Amino acid sequence: MTDSMNPSTDDFASMFESSAAASAMQEGQVVPATVIRIENDAVLVDIGLKTEGRIPLREFSMEDDQPKSGDIVDVYLDRIENALGDAVLSRDKARREERWIKLEKSFNANEPVKGAISGRVKGGFTVDLGGVNAFLPGSQVDIRPVRDVGPLMGEVQPFAVLKLDRSRGNIVVSRRAILEESRAEQRAEIVSDMAEGDVRKGIVKNITDYGAFVDLGGIDGLLHVTDMSYKRINHPSQVVEVGQEVEVQIIKINPETQRISLGMKQLGADPWDGIDVRYPVGARLKGVVTNITDYGAFVELEDGVEGLIHVSEMSWTKKNVHPGKILSTSQEVDVEVLDVDSEKRRISLGLKQTMDNPWSAFLAEHPIGTEIEGEVRGITEFGLFIGLGPDLDGMVHINDISWDQSGDQAIEAYNKGDVVKAKVLDVDVDKERISLGIKQLAGDPMESLNTGGVKRGATVTCTVTEITSGGIEVEFGEPAMKSFIRRSDLSRDRADQRPERFAVGDKVDAKVIQVDRGSRRVSLSIKALEIAEEAEAVAQYGSADAGASLGDILGAALASSGAGKEDAAPAAAASGDADANGRLAAPQGDADDLKQIKGVGPAFEKKLNDAGVFHFWQIASMTDDQLAALEEEVGTSGKGADWKAEAEALKG
């Protein structure tokens, strides 16, 4: 009693060390503990504090051996002292801390850990890693989607740690990574024994829209739908089914991904061999429509051989129509081979080629020049479309509607639905075009003029149809041809060059000074006729027997028309010095007066001078034949009449 009340120095030292050890312990640490005894459902342990700690016996249930007195175990110090003065200890938390340390080591070393799937959560499953829960995403359970995870629940198996965050208590694991690694090793070993071209047997494991996966004995290969058969297949299930044993050929092996491509059709004969001989261009065959697309229809000619009828080769007349409105699937059709490309495995077929060409038939029935009748089906800015039957149309171009009206004016007289007559002008079978003309029914007025003797220099009788400030519009000939007489061509006398002195319906005579077939224009001049008549009178009455010279008669005529002596002088000079063609050897005075004619520049003036023409009065005095010869000599066409009219106007 005395000894216990009076401790020795050694006792004080021991007590101090115990106190120092206790003070060194911190909450949240794993510390060693000695098992004192087991009482009911608790294990009493000593961790060197003033009191014993109690740990529930159930926390030792996962231990291989039950604890017994004297065992040293690691426990987690949750609290040094609770309200009752007892230390709060936990074996589970100690074991969890140990597990975290091991998991961190495994994660850093990229080593697998063992665990068991313990439950299902949103997006995946929970995995017990020996006291620590981890998350297993649904996509990481197996290589392929697993419908039933029941057989895997509770089974201890390896997992790969994908992510570890101890501060948040977050661990993500994968079973798939372990399987893929194991599978890769097995695949490498199996693939090393395979070669492209080998024929193997396998079991169909899975079917997709694009093919089937075949188990070749530890490794899967893909049998694509296009390699199942040479004929068209809509879905792989038409050829194989799950669990079926099939014989396949290894088409390709990818050494990097170890993916194997398989084929079934390669085991049979290729129907495209010798296709050029069996289906020559131009041959007509029967086939069955297997598929219809926006651009055409596929026709099966034999098993594994299909050809395409392009939409443009389906009908002669039905354009921009969906192929489904012309053909239907499973329909038997007659086709013609248009082209064969054995390398690209393509055959072009034609449907319309087996039918009569309506353009050829129309041409045979309606040769060019035939008169037809049809209804106006359409009016466009460039012409009329005339119906020639249920499927054919012909076009009247805007320039083939009328001879004397512009196209824009002529087309206004027609409406959709009008029945009109026209003449067949041309049928282009290759381009599928029929050209028609309405104005050709009446004949070409220009042709009538030429055949009727109306040419340059002729005199015609015209009827005035319209009066304008610039001249008068007239009609002449049969059929009627329109022309316009300019104000300057209405009379030789300036005082009479007034359009208002004429009235609509008046009959007048005029001279044809130009016929232009290209522009379909006939130029007339009353003034030219008057000059010609005057020249004829001079020639008739100005002989020596009449008692007056040519100069006297011409001078009197000029005087009566208001011309002065200055105007008469050149004519007199011309009559004296000009040759029979109206040419001069040299100019009579100032030769620059040719420039007064519009359109005669330096170049044409030099050419005219070289031809012996120096003055405008020479051109005014020339006959039509002389003027035509001059035009040909100086290299101009159609300008002579204009020059003469200008010269006559200058001469007065």
Side-chain angles (χ1 to χ4, degrees), residues 322-528:
H322 192 277
K325 295 184 178 180
I326 301 176
L327 297 174
S328 58
T329 54
S330 303
Q331 178 182 349
E332 187 178 62
V333 292
D334 291 325
V335 293
E336 182 174 310
V337 179
L338 304 181
D339 184 55
V340 178
D341 190 333
S342 57
E343 292 183 1
K344 295 182 178 179
R345 306 173 76 90
R346 293 176 181 174
I347 299 179
S348 297
L349 304 175
L351 179 65
K352 69 182 184 181
Q353 285 77 6
T354 62
M355 310 172 190
D356 292 334
N357 187 332
W359 281 272
S360 299
F362 179 87
L363 180 59
E365 188 176 349
H366 303 87
I368 294 174
T370 305
E371 184 177 321
I372 56 94
E373 185 177 81
E375 179 182 332
V376 178
R377 288 181 177 171
I379 300 176
T380 67
E381 60 182 7
F382 50 83
L384 305 173
F385 284 94
I386 310 297
L388 304 177
D391 298 322
L392 286 185
D393 284 345
M395 192 190 81
V396 180
H397 194 269
I398 194 171
N399 294 330
D400 290 320
I401 297 178
S402 174
W403 290 113
D404 54 2
Q405 286 183 308
S406 67
D408 294 336
Q409 292 176 331
I411 202 170
E412 291 179 355
Y414 296 89
N415 296 305
K416 194 174 181 179
D418 291 349
V419 177
V420 298
K421 291 184 178 181
K423 182 178 283 189
V424 179
L425 303 181
D426 183 50
V427 178
D428 192 328
V429 177
D430 294 333
K431 294 183 179 180
E432 301 179 352
R433 294 176 183 172
I434 300 175
S435 299
L436 306 175
I438 295 177
K439 69 181 184 182
Q440 286 79 1
L441 294 172
D444 189 349
M446 292 294 294
E447 295 292 339
S448 300
L449 290 177
N450 290 338
T451 57
V454 178
K455 57 183 180 179
R456 191 171 67 177
T459 300
V460 295
T461 300
C462 311
T463 302
V464 180
T465 58
E466 186 178 355
I467 310 296
T468 67
S469 61
I472 62 174
E473 189 173 301
V474 297
E475 278 186 354
F476 67 95
E478 185 63 36
M481 186 75 182
K482 289 187 177 183
S483 182
F484 184 77
I485 303 177
R486 298 178 298 178
R487 186 186 186 102
S488 60
D489 287 320
L490 291 178
S491 176
R492 178 170 181 168
D493 297 332
R494 291 186 183 275
D496 292 334
Q497 291 178 350
R498 294 176 291 107
E500 56 269 20
R501 74 185 180 91
F502 296 92
V504 175
D506 287 355
K507 300 288 186 179
V508 295
D509 290 338
K511 187 176 183 180
V512 178
I513 60 175
Q514 186 178 9
V515 178
D516 190 340
R517 292 179 56 83
S519 62
R520 308 190 60 79
R521 186 179 67 178
V522 177
S523 299
L524 303 177
S525 174
I526 299 174
K527 180 173 72 172

Side-chain angles (χ1 to χ4, degrees), residues 137-277:
S139 60
Q140 298 296 320
V141 175
D142 206 330
I143 297 173
R144 294 191 181 91
V146 179
R147 296 181 180 179
D148 184 13
V149 191
L152 301 176
M153 299 290 286
E155 180 182 347
V156 178
Q157 52 192 314
F159 293 89
V161 180
L162 303 181
K163 180 180 178 182
L164 188 145
D165 188 345
R166 184 171 182 178
S167 60
R168 297 184 179 182
N170 185 18
I171 303 176
V172 180
V173 296
S174 171
R175 178 175 177 267
R176 175 178 178 175
I178 300 296
L179 296 176
E180 286 180 343
E181 184 178 351
S182 174
R183 184 186 181 201
E185 296 175 357
Q186 295 177 358
R187 287 172 66 94
E189 184 178 350
I190 296 174
V191 169
S192 63
D193 295 333
M194 293 183 174
E196 295 181 1
D198 290 352
V199 178
R200 299 289 183 97
K201 288 186 178 181
I203 305 296
V204 178
K205 291 181 61 178
N206 189 27
I207 296 177
T208 65
D209 292 336
Y210 53 86
F213 287 94
V214 179
D215 184 0
L216 300 177
I219 189 170
D220 292 348
L222 174 62
L223 175 61
H224 199 271
V225 64
T226 57
D227 290 313
M228 289 184 175
S229 174
Y230 285 108
K231 66 185 298 183
R232 181 181 294 274
I233 298 173
N234 295 324
H235 195 272
S237 58
Q238 295 177 235
V239 181
V240 297
E241 60 184 16
V242 176
Q244 178 182 351
E245 185 180 42
V246 293
E247 190 174 39
V248 293
Q249 185 180 47
I250 298 176
I251 300 175
K252 185 177 181 181
I253 300 175
N254 190 324
E256 296 180 0
T257 61
Q258 295 182 349
R259 291 181 178 177
I260 302 174
S261 298
L262 307 175
M264 288 178 62
K265 70 180 184 182
Q266 288 78 4
L267 298 175
D270 188 351
W272 285 86
D273 291 341
I275 199 75
D276 298 338
V277 178

Side-chain angles (χ1 to χ4, degrees), residues 111-129:
E111 296 176 350
V113 296
K114 289 189 176 292
I117 300 175
S118 57
R120 185 187 295 270
V121 294
K122 184 177 180 180
F125 305 89
T126 57
V127 177
D128 183 3
L129 300 178

Side-chain angles (χ1 to χ4, degrees), residues 299-320:
V299 176
E300 186 179 56
L301 303 177
E302 64 175 82
D303 284 346
V305 177
E306 286 185 343
L308 173 66
I309 306 175
H310 194 267
V311 64
S312 61
E313 305 294 344
M314 288 190 173
S315 173
W316 291 108
T317 56
K318 294 178 181 178
K319 308 296 182 183
N320 300 321

